[in-house]
Amino acid sequence: MNELTTTYEWGQVPWRKLEVAVFKLQQRIYRASHANDRKRVHKLQRLLVKSRAAKYLAVRRVTQDNRGKQTAGVDGITALTPVQRQQVVEQCDTLPTGKPARRVWIPQPGTTELRPLSIPTLYDRAPQAWIKQVVEPEWEAKVAPNSYGFRPGRSAHQAVAQAQAYLEQGYSYVVDIDLEKFFDRVCHDRLMSRLAQRITEKRVLKLIRAFLRAGILENGLMTIPTEGTPQGSPLSPFLSNVVLDELDKELEGRGHRFCRYADDSNLYVRSARAGARVLASISCFITQRLKLKVNWSKSTVDRPWKRSFLGFSFTGGKRPKRRKIAPKALARFKARVGGVSKVEIDWE
């Protein structure tokens, strides 16, 4: 029996077999991409596009596994019955439902600012998770090793460890580059052009374009975005990495030591003068080539122990070896613990 194409009733799906079958196919795509065998990559991607197993796994991920499964879109639906999940499997490779994403605002850690989330319906989240399964393996074989955000097998702790390794090598100045409203400023045409260079399945490209152009509903008013990758969808982190992969390749080509986690980029140099030169040069590339905007109020050249990276900082001195929790992150943690622990107990 071919697990990739077999149809199952929802309660009888052999999940472990499907996971193994899809993972093996993704591995083959990764190896073919790493070997620059474009013909084989496209052939294997077509198999994954036609695979029902990948669709079953995508639907389960957004309706049962993810922490955000109880977050409703504009239709208010937070759970699907087994029959409805089966229906979503059948419709995964079709166009979106046409319903806009629900706009909510959440606090941004460490500041008083709010950042927007655009939450699609469950019926639209499943196809996005399926697309990510299809296109991610090929990109993983080509992306820079110093990119750690939202990638399989990568974590923030690995990014901080790499930054620490640069410091121990003598690169004792950090160029901290902050992108202003990155997720809201991504150019759709540039993004789709990058994707079309590697994705040959027209259905997949058409779906991605439709998701980017889906409406956003806020306070009863719907707007159609002309730029940006809405945060809150399963596909958004992958698309952000596609955009910033061009920055990674530029930094690699120039021989820079850097760590990137999503839109947080830190470069490590030996002197403040070199840092100022790198900051000016890379900022021009970001503005002119990527069509993004640098946040100059937060971008600077400084000592690593005076900055924070992903909630961590480093000890000072001639040879900074030790990591430590950044003061602001520690203060937030203490505030949260204090709020939880302040409980009045009636001993009587």
Side-chain angles (χ1 to χ4, degrees), residues 89-161:
V89 170
E90 304 296 333
Q91 300 168 1
C92 253
D93 57 352
T94 60
L95 287 176
T97 61
K99 293 182 178 178
R102 181 170 66 92
R103 171 60 56 86
V104 297
W105 295 83
I106 63 173
Q108 190 159 340
T111 68
T112 58
E113 300 176 357
L114 299 177
R115 64 185 179 95
L117 289 183
S118 301
I119 304 172
T121 65
L122 282 174
Y123 287 94
D124 285 337
R125 272 179 259 171
Q128 293 188 36
W130 169 69
I131 289 172
K132 184 181 176 185
Q133 288 184 126
V134 172
V135 299
E136 190 174 53
E138 181 187 5
W139 284 86
E140 275 297 308
K142 299 294 185 182
V143 296
N146 289 358
S147 168
Y148 295 91
F150 307 113
R151 292 182 56 196
R154 297 299 184 101
S155 68
H157 288 282
Q158 291 175 331
V160 175

Side-chain angles (χ1 to χ4, degrees), residues 10-280:
W10 191 263
Q12 300 175 351
V13 177
W15 294 111
R16 184 56 184 165
K17 288 185 178 180
L18 266 58
E19 289 171 352
V20 171
V22 170
F23 179 68
K24 286 183 176 179
L25 185 51
Q26 289 176 319
Q27 278 187 318
R28 293 169 65 190
I29 294 173
Y30 177 90
R31 288 194 293 264
S33 179
H34 197 268
N36 292 319
D37 190 346
R38 300 284 298 159
K39 185 175 181 180
R40 183 165 179 78
V41 167
H42 296 156
K43 180 180 179 181
L44 294 172
Q45 276 185 339
R46 282 194 293 271
L47 288 177
L48 195 53
V49 166
K50 297 176 181 178
S51 162
R52 297 183 65 85
K55 296 174 185 177
Y56 277 112
L57 293 176
V59 173
R60 188 184 71 164
R61 186 166 291 119
V62 300
T63 60
Q64 293 180 270
D65 296 344
N66 284 1
R67 288 186 299 174
K69 62 185 177 183
Q70 296 296 325
T71 306
V74 294
D75 56 5
I77 297 176
T78 59
L80 300 179
T81 66
V83 174
Q84 290 173 322
R85 291 174 192 150
Q86 193 75 32
Q87 292 173 348
V88 178
V89 170
E90 304 296 333
Q91 300 168 1
C92 253
D93 57 352
T94 60
L95 287 176
T97 61
K99 293 182 178 178
R102 181 170 66 92
R103 171 60 56 86
V104 297
W105 295 83
I106 63 173
Q108 190 159 340
T111 68
T112 58
E113 300 176 357
L114 299 177
R115 64 185 179 95
L117 289 183
S118 301
I119 304 172
T121 65
L122 282 174
Y123 287 94
D124 285 337
R125 272 179 259 171
Q128 293 188 36
W130 169 69
I131 289 172
K132 184 181 176 185
Q133 288 184 126
V134 172
V135 299
E136 190 174 53
E138 181 187 5
W139 284 86
E140 275 297 308
K142 299 294 185 182
V143 296
N146 289 358
S147 168
Y148 295 91
F150 307 113
R151 292 182 56 196
R154 297 299 184 101
S155 68
H157 288 282
Q158 291 175 331
V160 175
Q162 181 62 68
Q164 184 179 9
Y166 289 143
L167 298 184
E168 292 176 346
Q169 294 169 16
Y171 297 90
S172 55
Y173 285 84
V174 60
V175 181
D176 190 347
I177 300 178
D178 184 80
L179 300 180
E180 185 174 326
K181 297 181 179 179
F182 163 68
F183 288 92
D184 298 329
R185 297 183 184 275
V186 172
C187 176
H188 288 177
D189 291 336
R190 280 189 56 81
L191 174 58
M192 293 306 301
S193 175
R194 291 275 296 169
L195 291 170
Q197 292 174 10
R198 299 188 186 179
I199 301 173
T200 57
E201 286 291 326
K202 300 300 182 184
R203 269 187 302 174
V204 173
L205 291 172
K206 192 174 182 180
L207 281 168
I208 294 174
R209 171 70 80 171
F211 285 125
L212 289 174
R213 296 283 293 165
I216 298 174
L217 186 66
E218 182 179 10
N219 298 327
L221 299 176
M222 190 176 78
T223 57
I224 305 297
T226 58
E227 60 181 2
T229 58
Q231 295 184 75
S233 72
L235 198 56
S236 180
F238 168 76
L239 295 179
S240 69
N241 277 334
V242 170
V243 173
L244 293 178
D245 179 63
E246 195 169 353
L247 173 61
D248 296 341
K249 293 295 192 293
E250 180 69 16
L251 295 176
E252 279 189 322
R254 298 186 185 189
H256 290 307
R257 277 76 176 171
F258 71 96
C259 296
R260 182 177 68 79
Y261 191 96
D263 58 334
D264 292 330
S265 299
N266 277 8
L267 290 76
Y268 296 87
V269 295
R270 294 186 183 273
S271 68
R273 180 179 295 180
R277 186 173 61 250
V278 168
L279 177 59

